[in-house]
Structure formats: structure tokens, C-alpha cells
Amino acid sequence: MSCAICRIRKPRRFCPGVHGDICSLCCGAEREVTVDCPFDCPYLQEARKHEHTDPVNPDEFPNKDIRITEEFLGEHEALLVSAMSSLMLAAFDTPGAVDRDVRDALDALIRTQRTLESGVYYETRPDNALANRIFGATQKGLEDFRKQETESLGMTRTRDTDLLRVLVFLQRLELDRNNGRPRGRAFLDSLRGFLSEAGGAAPPSPPASSLIVP
């Protein structure tokens, strides 16, 4: 019996991504490269603990003119959690979606939101079909949040600029968490972990210090 991927080496573990036994070398080399790894794969989760990516240079962040502070994130915690949840669920409901598709969706959402600064709303849709689906579902989720907020408080607390800043923060978080693998979902996995820890109670603060551009 040989590895289901290389067909050469002896298999050492079962891979739910290929539904067969594979060797450890192929597991490391093909994980989220040619194999769609489910989040609950124990080998994927173990790899996440030791995954090292090059730190993102803040000078290379897009939308550097958007200022985000830890105080802002704390004051708009409900909006941030809603945006994270909407984005994650939109991606999970899009078969085949990976972090790169989420990045394209965030870019389009930010471009669309920025048009409000000029007073002329213009929707920028991603060319990427998967990102386009994520874009639409995330946008609806955020609209629902603002509608519920208005109904609950009797007023609109979340401003357009607040939503823009939250989207830019998520864009920076994606750039920081993306592991660079073609089928990588490290960013989505981090959202899943954060929202799971939140558990409907007050969520822990997201790691923001290295993602803030003064």
C-alpha cells in the first residue's frame, strides 16, 4: 500500500482531504496547496500552531490613510464581531472559497464603502465569482446589523466611516493571517476560532497592535 498522493512512500496518516492514507511528507507539502483541508483535520490544526509567515510591513498596507486604534475597536466591538461573522459565514456558504477570495471581497467592499466619501455611492463588484458571492452575502449581513441596531436603539449608531474602518481592519488582519498557500484558509480559521471563543459572551480583543497604522 502506498501514499494516495505520491504513490511512492508508505502512508502514515489518513487524509480527509483526499479520503485516503498519505505519507507525512505529502501531508506537509500538499496541505492547502493541492489538497482542500477541512478545518477539523488534526494535522492541519497542529500545523497551524507552528505556521510561520513573514510579518507584514505596515508601510505596505493598503488604505493607509484609514486610522484604526485599539480604542476604536473596543468601542465598536459589536460591529466588529458582526462583520467577522458575516464575512466568515459568507465564505463558508461559498463552496471552494479560500482566503484569497475573501481578500478580493474585502477589497471590493472597501472600494464600495469609500465611494460614500465622495457623496456618490457606487458599488464595486469583484470579477472573481467566489469573491462576488462573499461580497454580496457580507454586505447583506452588515446591512442587517445596522437595521437591527436602529430598531433596537431607535437611532443609527454605526456611521459609514465606522464600517469602513472595520472593513479595513479585517483587510489588514487577512493580510497578516494569510499563509500564502493557494488553498489556504488560515485567516478564515482564525475568524472561526475567535468567534468560537466569543461564544455569545464578551469576546476577547483581537490581536490588533501590529495591524494599526497611526
Coordinates of all heavy atoms in Angstrom, one line a residue, residues 2-72:
S2 N 0.6 2.2 -0.9 CA 1.4 3.4 -1.0 C 0.5 4.7 -0.7 O -0.7 4.6 -0.7 CB 2.0 3.5 -2.4 OG 1.0 3.5 -3.4
C3 N 1.2 5.8 -0.5 CA 0.6 7.1 -0.3 C -0.4 7.4 -1.4 O -0.1 7.3 -2.6 CB 1.7 8.2 -0.2 SG 1.1 9.9 -0.2
A4 N -1.6 7.9 -1.1 CA -2.6 8.2 -2.1 C -2.2 9.4 -2.9 O -2.8 9.6 -4.0 CB -3.9 8.5 -1.4
I5 N -1.2 10.2 -2.5 CA -0.8 11.3 -3.3 C 0.4 11.0 -4.2 O 0.4 11.1 -5.4 CB -0.5 12.6 -2.4 CG1 -1.8 13.0 -1.7 CG2 0.1 13.7 -3.2 CD1 -1.6 14.2 -0.8
C6 N 1.6 10.6 -3.6 CA 2.8 10.4 -4.3 C 2.9 9.0 -4.9 O 3.6 8.8 -5.9 CB 4.0 10.7 -3.5 SG 4.3 9.5 -2.1
R7 N 2.1 8.1 -4.4 CA 2.1 6.7 -4.9 C 3.5 6.0 -4.7 O 3.7 5.0 -5.4 CB 1.7 6.6 -6.3 CG 0.3 7.3 -6.7 CD -0.8 6.5 -6.0 NE -2.1 7.1 -6.4 CZ -3.3 6.7 -5.9 NH1 -3.3 5.6 -5.1 NH2 -4.4 7.3 -6.2
I8 N 4.3 6.6 -3.8 CA 5.6 6.0 -3.7 C 5.9 5.6 -2.2 O 6.2 4.4 -2.0 CB 6.7 7.1 -4.1 CG1 6.5 7.4 -5.6 CG2 8.1 6.5 -3.8 CD1 7.5 8.5 -6.1
R9 N 5.8 6.6 -1.3 CA 6.1 6.3 0.1 C 5.0 5.6 0.8 O 3.8 5.6 0.4 CB 6.5 7.6 0.8 CG 7.8 8.2 0.3 CD 8.1 9.6 1.0 NE 7.2 10.6 0.5 CZ 7.5 11.4 -0.5 NH1 8.6 11.2 -1.2 NH2 6.6 12.3 -0.9
K10 N 5.3 5.1 2.0 CA 4.4 4.4 2.8 C 3.5 5.4 3.5 O 4.0 6.3 4.1 CB 5.1 3.5 3.8 CG 4.2 2.6 4.7 CD 5.0 1.8 5.6 CE 4.1 0.9 6.5 NZ 4.9 0.0 7.4
P11 N 2.2 5.2 3.5 CA 1.3 6.1 4.2 C 1.4 6.1 5.7 O 1.7 5.0 6.2 CB -0.1 5.7 3.7 CG 0.1 4.2 3.4 CD 1.4 4.1 2.8
R12 N 1.3 7.2 6.3 CA 1.4 7.3 7.8 C 0.1 7.8 8.5 O 0.0 7.7 9.7 CB 2.6 8.2 8.1 CG 3.9 7.7 7.6 CD 4.3 6.5 8.4 NE 5.7 6.0 7.9 CZ 6.2 4.9 8.4 NH1 5.6 4.1 9.3 NH2 7.4 4.6 8.0
R13 N -0.8 8.4 7.7 CA -1.9 9.0 8.3 C -3.1 9.1 7.3 O -2.8 9.1 6.1 CB -1.6 10.4 8.8 CG -1.1 11.4 7.7 CD -0.6 12.7 8.3 NE 0.6 12.5 9.2 CZ 1.4 13.5 9.6 NH1 1.1 14.7 9.2 NH2 2.4 13.2 10.4
F14 N -4.3 9.2 7.8 CA -5.5 9.3 6.9 C -5.7 10.8 6.7 O -5.7 11.6 7.6 CB -6.7 8.7 7.6 CG -8.0 8.9 6.8 CD1 -8.2 8.1 5.6 CD2 -8.9 9.9 7.1 CE1 -9.3 8.3 4.9 CE2 -10.0 10.1 6.3 CZ -10.2 9.3 5.2
C15 N -5.9 11.1 5.4 CA -6.2 12.5 5.0 C -7.6 12.6 4.6 O -8.1 12.1 3.5 CB -5.3 12.8 3.8 SG -5.6 14.5 3.1
P16 N -8.4 13.4 5.3 CA -9.8 13.6 5.0 C -10.0 14.4 3.7 O -11.0 14.4 3.1 CB -10.4 14.3 6.2 CG -9.2 15.0 6.8 CD -8.0 14.1 6.6
G17 N -8.9 15.1 3.3 CA -9.0 15.9 2.1 C -9.0 15.1 0.8 O -9.6 15.5 -0.2
V18 N -8.3 14.0 0.8 CA -8.2 13.1 -0.3 C -8.9 11.8 -0.1 O -9.0 10.9 -1.0 CB -6.7 12.8 -0.8 CG1 -6.0 14.1 -1.1 CG2 -6.0 12.1 0.3
H19 N -9.4 11.7 1.1 CA -10.2 10.5 1.5 C -9.3 9.2 1.3 O -9.7 8.2 0.8 CB -11.5 10.3 0.7 CG -12.4 11.5 0.9 ND1 -13.1 11.8 2.0 CD2 -12.7 12.5 0.0 CE1 -13.8 12.9 1.8 NE2 -13.5 13.4 0.6
G20 N -8.1 9.3 1.8 CA -7.2 8.2 1.7 C -6.0 8.4 2.6 O -5.8 9.4 3.2
D21 N -5.1 7.4 2.7 CA -3.9 7.4 3.5 C -2.8 8.0 2.8 O -2.5 7.7 1.6 CB -3.6 6.0 4.0 CG -4.7 5.4 4.9 OD1 -5.2 6.1 5.8 OD2 -5.0 4.2 4.7
I22 N -2.1 8.9 3.4 CA -0.9 9.6 2.8 C 0.3 9.6 3.7 O 0.2 9.3 4.9 CB -1.3 11.1 2.4 CG1 -1.5 11.9 3.7 CG2 -2.5 11.1 1.5 CD1 -1.7 13.4 3.5
C23 N 1.4 9.9 3.1 CA 2.7 10.0 3.9 C 2.8 11.3 4.5 O 2.1 12.3 4.1 CB 3.9 9.7 3.0 SG 4.2 10.9 1.7
S24 N 3.7 11.5 5.5 CA 3.8 12.7 6.2 C 4.4 13.8 5.3 O 4.1 15.0 5.5 CB 4.7 12.5 7.5 OG 5.9 11.9 7.1
L25 N 5.3 13.4 4.4 CA 5.9 14.4 3.5 C 4.9 15.1 2.6 O 4.9 16.3 2.4 CB 7.0 13.8 2.7 CG 8.3 13.4 3.4 CD1 9.3 12.7 2.5 CD2 8.9 14.7 4.0
C26 N 4.0 14.3 2.0 CA 3.0 14.8 1.2 C 2.0 15.6 2.0 O 1.4 16.6 1.5 CB 2.2 13.7 0.5 SG 3.1 13.0 -1.0
C27 N 1.7 15.2 3.2 CA 0.8 16.0 4.1 C 1.4 17.4 4.3 O 0.6 18.4 4.2 CB 0.7 15.3 5.4 SG -0.4 16.1 6.6
G28 N 2.7 17.5 4.5 CA 3.3 18.8 4.7 C 3.4 19.6 3.5 O 3.1 20.9 3.5
A29 N 3.7 19.0 2.4 CA 3.9 19.7 1.1 C 2.6 20.1 0.4 O 2.6 21.1 -0.2 CB 4.8 18.8 0.2
E30 N 1.6 19.2 0.5 CA 0.4 19.5 -0.3 C -0.7 20.1 0.5 O -1.8 20.4 -0.1 CB 0.0 18.1 -0.9 CG 1.0 17.5 -1.8 CD 1.5 18.4 -2.9 OE1 0.7 19.2 -3.5 OE2 2.7 18.3 -3.2
R31 N -0.5 20.2 1.8 CA -1.6 20.8 2.7 C -1.9 22.2 2.2 O -1.1 23.1 2.1 CB -1.1 20.8 4.1 CG -2.0 21.4 5.1 CD -1.4 21.6 6.5 NE -0.9 20.3 7.0 CZ 0.4 20.2 7.3 NH1 1.3 21.2 7.2 NH2 0.8 19.0 7.8
E32 N -3.2 22.4 1.8 CA -3.7 23.7 1.4 C -3.0 24.2 0.1 O -3.1 25.4 -0.2 CB -3.7 24.7 2.5 CG -4.6 24.4 3.6 CD -4.8 25.5 4.6 OE1 -3.7 26.1 5.0 OE2 -5.9 25.8 5.0
V33 N -2.3 23.3 -0.6 CA -1.7 23.6 -1.8 C -2.5 22.9 -3.0 O -3.0 23.6 -3.8 CB -0.2 23.2 -1.9 CG1 0.4 23.5 -3.3 CG2 0.6 24.0 -0.8
T34 N -2.5 21.6 -2.9 CA -3.3 20.8 -3.8 C -4.5 20.1 -3.1 O -5.4 19.6 -3.8 CB -2.5 19.8 -4.6 OG1 -2.0 18.9 -3.6 CG2 -1.4 20.4 -5.3
V35 N -4.4 20.1 -1.8 CA -5.5 19.4 -1.0 C -6.3 20.5 -0.3 O -5.8 21.4 0.3 CB -4.8 18.5 0.0 CG1 -5.9 17.8 0.9 CG2 -4.0 17.4 -0.7
D36 N -7.7 20.3 -0.4 CA -8.6 21.1 0.4 C -8.8 20.5 1.7 O -9.4 19.5 1.9 CB -10.0 21.2 -0.3 CG -9.9 21.9 -1.7 OD1 -9.3 23.0 -1.7 OD2 -10.5 21.4 -2.6
C37 N -8.1 21.1 2.7 CA -8.1 20.5 4.1 C -9.2 21.0 4.9 O -9.5 22.2 5.0 CB -6.8 20.9 4.8 SG -5.3 20.4 3.9
P38 N -10.0 20.1 5.5 CA -11.1 20.5 6.4 C -10.6 21.1 7.6 O -9.5 20.7 8.1 CB -11.9 19.2 6.6 CG -10.9 18.1 6.4 CD -10.0 18.6 5.3
F39 N -11.3 22.0 8.2 CA -10.8 22.7 9.4 C -10.5 21.8 10.6 O -9.6 22.0 11.4 CB -11.8 23.8 9.9 CG -11.8 25.0 9.0 CD1 -13.0 25.4 8.4 CD2 -10.7 25.8 8.8 CE1 -13.1 26.5 7.5 CE2 -10.7 26.9 8.0 CZ -11.9 27.3 7.4
D40 N -11.3 20.7 10.7 CA -11.2 19.8 11.8 C -10.1 18.7 11.7 O -10.0 17.9 12.5 CB -12.5 19.1 12.1 CG -13.1 18.3 11.0 OD1 -12.4 18.3 9.9 OD2 -14.2 17.7 11.1
C41 N -9.3 18.8 10.6 CA -8.2 17.8 10.4 C -7.2 18.1 11.5 O -6.7 19.2 11.7 CB -7.6 18.0 9.1 SG -6.1 17.0 8.9
P42 N -6.9 17.1 12.4 CA -6.0 17.3 13.5 C -4.6 17.7 13.0 O -3.9 18.4 13.7 CB -6.0 16.0 14.2 CG -6.4 15.0 13.2 CD -7.4 15.7 12.3
Y43 N -4.2 17.2 11.8 CA -2.8 17.5 11.3 C -2.8 19.0 10.8 O -1.8 19.7 11.0 CB -2.5 16.6 10.2 CG -2.5 15.1 10.7 CD1 -3.5 14.3 10.3 CD2 -1.5 14.6 11.5 CE1 -3.5 12.9 10.7 CE2 -1.5 13.3 12.0 CZ -2.5 12.5 11.6 OH -2.6 11.2 12.0
L44 N -3.9 19.5 10.3 CA -3.9 20.9 9.9 C -3.9 21.8 11.1 O -3.1 22.8 11.1 CB -5.2 21.1 9.1 CG -5.5 22.6 8.7 CD1 -4.5 23.1 7.7 CD2 -6.9 22.8 8.2
Q45 N -4.6 21.4 12.1 CA -4.7 22.3 13.3 C -3.3 22.3 14.1 O -2.9 23.3 14.6 CB -5.8 21.8 14.3 CG -7.2 22.1 13.8 CD -7.4 23.6 13.5 OE1 -7.0 24.4 14.2 NE2 -8.1 23.9 12.4
E46 N -2.6 21.1 14.0 CA -1.3 21.1 14.6 C -0.3 21.9 13.8 O 0.5 22.6 14.4 CB -0.8 19.6 14.7 CG 0.5 19.4 15.3 CD 0.5 19.9 16.8 OE1 -0.5 19.8 17.5 OE2 1.6 20.2 17.3
A47 N -0.5 21.9 12.5 CA 0.4 22.7 11.6 C 0.2 24.2 11.9 O 1.1 25.0 11.8 CB 0.1 22.3 10.2
R48 N -1.1 24.6 12.2 CA -1.4 26.0 12.4 C -0.6 26.5 13.6 O -0.1 27.7 13.6 CB -2.9 26.1 12.8 CG -3.8 25.9 11.6 CD -4.1 27.2 10.8 NE -5.2 27.0 9.9 CZ -5.0 26.8 8.6 NH1 -3.8 26.7 8.0 NH2 -6.1 26.6 7.8
K49 N -0.3 25.7 14.6 CA 0.4 26.1 15.8 C 1.9 26.4 15.4 O 2.5 27.2 16.2 CB 0.4 25.0 16.8 CG -1.0 24.7 17.3 CD -1.0 23.5 18.3 CE -2.4 23.1 18.7 NZ -2.3 21.9 19.7
H50 N 2.4 25.8 14.4 CA 3.8 26.0 14.0 C 4.0 26.8 12.7 O 5.1 26.9 12.2 CB 4.5 24.7 14.0 CG 4.3 23.8 15.2 ND1 4.9 24.0 16.4 CD2 3.5 22.7 15.3 CE1 4.5 23.1 17.3 NE2 3.6 22.3 16.6
E51 N 2.9 27.3 12.2 CA 3.0 28.0 10.9 C 3.6 29.4 11.1 O 3.2 30.2 11.9 CB 1.5 28.2 10.4 CG 1.4 28.2 8.9 CD 0.0 27.9 8.4 OE1 -0.9 28.5 9.0 OE2 -0.2 27.2 7.5
H52 N 4.6 29.6 10.4 CA 5.3 30.9 10.4 C 5.3 31.6 9.1 O 5.6 31.0 8.1 CB 6.8 30.7 10.8 CG 7.0 30.1 12.2 ND1 6.7 30.8 13.4 CD2 7.4 28.9 12.6 CE1 6.9 30.0 14.4 NE2 7.3 28.9 14.0
T53 N 4.8 32.8 9.1 CA 4.7 33.6 7.9 C 5.5 34.9 8.1 O 5.7 35.3 9.2 CB 3.3 34.0 7.5 OG1 2.7 34.6 8.6 CG2 2.5 32.7 7.2
D54 N 6.0 35.4 7.0 CA 6.7 36.7 7.1 C 5.8 37.8 7.7 O 4.7 37.9 7.2 CB 7.3 37.1 5.8 CG 8.3 36.1 5.2 OD1 9.0 35.5 6.1 OD2 8.5 36.0 4.0
P55 N 6.3 38.6 8.6 CA 5.5 39.6 9.2 C 5.2 40.7 8.1 O 6.0 40.9 7.2 CB 6.4 40.2 10.3 CG 7.8 39.8 9.9 CD 7.6 38.5 9.3
V56 N 4.0 41.2 8.2 CA 3.5 42.2 7.2 C 4.1 43.5 7.5 O 4.0 44.0 8.7 CB 2.0 42.2 7.1 CG1 1.5 43.3 6.1 CG2 1.4 40.9 6.8
N57 N 4.7 44.2 6.6 CA 5.2 45.5 6.8 C 4.0 46.5 6.8 O 3.3 46.7 5.8 CB 6.2 45.9 5.7 CG 6.8 47.2 5.9 OD1 6.4 48.0 6.7 ND2 7.8 47.6 5.0
P58 N 3.8 47.2 7.9 CA 2.7 48.2 7.9 C 2.7 49.2 6.8 O 1.7 49.7 6.4 CB 2.8 48.8 9.3 CG 3.5 47.8 10.1 CD 4.5 47.2 9.1
D59 N 3.9 49.5 6.3 CA 4.0 50.5 5.2 C 3.5 50.0 3.9 O 3.2 50.8 3.0 CB 5.5 50.9 5.0 CG 6.1 51.7 6.2 OD1 5.3 52.3 6.9 OD2 7.3 51.6 6.4
E60 N 3.3 48.7 3.8 CA 2.7 48.1 2.6 C 1.2 47.8 2.7 O 0.6 47.3 1.8 CB 3.5 46.8 2.3 CG 4.9 47.0 2.0 CD 5.7 45.7 1.8 OE1 5.0 44.6 1.9 OE2 6.9 45.7 1.6
F61 N 0.6 48.2 3.8 CA -0.8 48.0 3.9 C -1.6 48.9 2.9 O -1.2 50.1 2.7 CB -1.3 48.4 5.3 CG -1.1 47.4 6.4 CD1 -0.8 47.7 7.7 CD2 -1.4 46.0 6.1 CE1 -0.6 46.8 8.7 CE2 -1.2 45.1 7.1 CZ -0.8 45.4 8.4
P62 N -2.6 48.4 2.3 CA -3.5 49.3 1.5 C -4.3 50.2 2.4 O -4.5 49.9 3.6 CB -4.4 48.3 0.7 CG -4.4 47.1 1.6 CD -3.1 47.0 2.3
N63 N -4.9 51.3 1.9 CA -5.7 52.2 2.7 C -5.0 52.7 3.9 O -5.7 52.7 5.0 CB -7.0 51.4 3.0 CG -7.8 51.0 1.8 OD1 -8.3 51.8 1.0 ND2 -7.9 49.6 1.7
K64 N -3.8 53.1 3.8 CA -3.0 53.5 5.0 C -3.6 54.8 5.6 O -3.2 55.2 6.7 CB -1.6 53.7 4.6 CG -0.8 52.4 4.5 CD 0.7 52.7 4.6 CE 1.2 53.6 3.5 NZ 2.6 53.9 3.5
D65 N -4.4 55.5 4.8 CA -5.0 56.8 5.3 C -6.1 56.5 6.3 O -6.5 57.5 7.0 CB -5.5 57.6 4.1 CG -6.6 56.9 3.4 OD1 -6.4 55.7 3.0 OD2 -7.7 57.5 3.2
I66 N -6.5 55.3 6.4 CA -7.6 55.0 7.4 C -6.9 54.7 8.7 O -6.2 53.7 8.9 CB -8.4 53.7 6.9 CG1 -9.0 54.0 5.5 CG2 -9.5 53.4 7.9 CD1 -10.0 55.1 5.5
R67 N -7.2 55.4 9.7 CA -6.6 55.3 11.0 C -7.5 54.4 11.9 O -8.7 54.6 12.0 CB -6.5 56.7 11.7 CG -5.7 56.6 13.0 CD -5.4 58.0 13.5 NE -4.7 58.0 14.8 CZ -5.2 58.0 16.0 NH1 -6.6 58.2 16.1 NH2 -4.5 58.0 17.1
I68 N -6.9 53.4 12.5 CA -7.6 52.4 13.4 C -6.8 52.4 14.7 O -5.6 52.2 14.7 CB -7.6 51.0 12.7 CG1 -8.4 51.1 11.4 CG2 -8.4 50.1 13.6 CD1 -8.3 49.8 10.6
T69 N -7.6 52.5 15.8 CA -6.9 52.4 17.1 C -7.6 51.3 17.9 O -8.7 50.8 17.6 CB -7.1 53.8 17.9 OG1 -8.5 53.9 18.1 CG2 -6.6 54.9 17.1
E70 N -6.9 50.9 18.9 CA -7.5 49.9 19.8 C -8.7 50.4 20.5 O -9.7 49.6 20.8 CB -6.4 49.4 20.8 CG -5.2 48.7 20.2 CD -4.3 48.2 21.3 OE1 -4.6 48.2 22.5 OE2 -3.2 47.8 20.9
E71 N -8.7 51.7 20.8 CA -9.9 52.3 21.4 C -11.1 52.2 20.5 O -12.2 51.9 20.9 CB -9.7 53.8 21.7 CG -8.7 54.0 22.9 CD -7.2 53.8 22.5 OE1 -6.9 53.7 21.3 OE2 -6.4 53.6 23.4
F72 N -10.9 52.4 19.2 CA -12.0 52.3 18.2 C -12.5 50.9 18.2 O -13.8 50.7 18.2 CB -11.5 52.8 16.8 CG -12.5 52.4 15.7 CD1 -13.6 53.2 15.5 CD2 -12.3 51.3 15.0 CE1 -14.5 52.9 14.5 CE2 -13.2 50.9 14.0 CZ -14.3 51.8 13.7

